[in-house]
Amino acid sequence: MKIERVETFLVPPRWLFCRIETDDGVVGWGEPVVEGRAEVVRSAVAVLAEYLVGQDPLRIQDHWQVLSKGGFYRGGPVLSSAVAGIDQALWDIAGRALGVPVHTLLGGPVRDTVRVYAWVGGDEPERLKEEVSAQVEAGFTAVKMNAAGRTPPIGSPAETAAVVERVAAAREALGPHRDVAVDFHGRFSAANTRRVLHEIAPLHPLFVEEPVLPDQAHLLPGLVAVSSVPLATGERLYGRGDFLPVLTAGVSVAQPDLSHAGGISEVTRIASLAETFGAHLAPHCPLGPIALAASLQVAFATPNFLIQEQSRGIHYNKDADLLSYLVDTEPFRFVDGQAHRTALTLPGLGIAVDEDTVRAADRSGHAWRNPVWRHADGSFAEW
C-alpha cells in the first residue's frame, strides 16, 4: 500500500481538512489548521506531501520524524499543525486498513466514556446564566467560559468584581455537582491573574486556562504557589519540549491540541510526559469533527485523561458546525455530557466524512481571521 494523493479542503467556518488516499483506495482524513492562518498551513501540507506520495502510509512514526525533523528549520505552529493533520490521516488509514479503531492501535481503551464540556458566553462573555442553564438542560456536566474580554494589565476593582460575578453566575446555574472551567486566554497579566485567582477560588473552578501567555511559562511557578485553583495551559504549545517547563512549573492540566501539537503521535507522548508529573490531559479542540474524533481516540486510550473540549454551538461556528461534514452524526451524540466509545463504531478515527459536502464547501472556502483588539487608549490588547 502506497500513498497516492494528498488533498486539502478549506471549509467554513474556519477549518482545513486533509484527505490522504492510497493506491488501493483506503482514505484517511485529518484536520491540519492554525485558526486564522489556514491558507498558510495548506501550503505547508502541500510541501510535505512531496515527500509523502509514494510512501507506505503505515510507517506513521517514521513519517512523523521525517516531516517534523527532516528540515533544518523545525517547529512552530504552522509546521506542527501541518504534521498534525497528516498524522491524524495516517492513523485513520491504519485503523481502516486493519479494521480497528485508533484507540485499539494505541494499546486499547482504558475507559468507555469520555466527559466533554460545552462553551458558553463567547469572547466577551455575557448572558452566562441563561447559556449555562441551557447546557445543563442539554445534559452537560461541565462548561467553559472566558473570564473577560479585552483586559487591562491591572484590573480595576469593578473589572475584577465583574469576573467574579460571571463565574458566580455560572456556578449558581451549575450547582455544586457540575464544573466550570475559566479561560483567561492569555489576556491577563501575572499580577492580574494572582488577584483574580484569589477572588474566584471559593467558586471552585475545574481549572483556569492560560493564566498567562505561553511565552511566560517562567511565571507559572509563582502562580501555582499562590493559589489552590488548578492551572491549565497548552493550546499554543506544540511538542514535548514546550510542555516540559510548564509541567515542571506545576501546571495541573495539559491542553495540547490534536491539530496543532503534532497530531495523535505527539499528543500521546505529551500525555505520558504529563502523567509523570501527576498532570492530566484535557485536549484543546474548538475545531471540527476530524480533530474531535482524533481527540476522542486518544482520550479512550489515555489513563490520565480529564475532560474533552468540543465545538458544538461554539460562538465561532457561524456558517457550519461540528456536525455539518459528517455522513452520520451519531458519534457526536453526547449523553449526559459523555461521548460513548460504542458510538464511534467505524475503524480508524470512527467517523465518516461527507466528501461531497466537503468538496462543495471548499469551492467557497473561507478567510477567517481572529479579531484585533485594542484598549480604550488605542494600544494593542490580547485577544
Side-chain angles (χ1 to χ4, degrees), residues 10 101 122 147 152 157 221 228 236 238 257 305 330-331 336 352:
L10 200 65
S228 63
R236 290 186 274 184
Y238 309 113
D257 189 305
F305 169 82
E330 183 66 17
D336 297 328

Side-chain angles (χ1 to χ4, degrees), residues 7 10 23 30 45 66 87 118 125 127-128 139 142 144 191 266 269 304 330 367 373:
E7 299 175 273
L10 200 65
D23 57 357
V45 172
V66 172
D87 184 81
R127 296 183 60 250
L128 276 163
K144 188 167 80 176
E266 183 69 353
R269 294 188 282 258
N304 57 320
E330 183 66 17
W373 280 358

Side-chain angles (χ1 to χ4, degrees), residues 165-191:
E165 288 168 9
R166 283 189 284 268
V167 180
R171 170 55 64 208
E172 183 180 355
L174 288 164
H177 301 295
R178 301 180 183 90
D179 286 307
V180 57
V182 184
D183 193 352
F184 283 20
H185 217 253
R187 297 169 184 169
F188 286 47
S189 68

Side-chain angles (χ1 to χ4, degrees), residues 15 28 138 187 191 263 280 292:
W15 305 330
R187 297 169 184 169
H280 285 76
L292 179 57

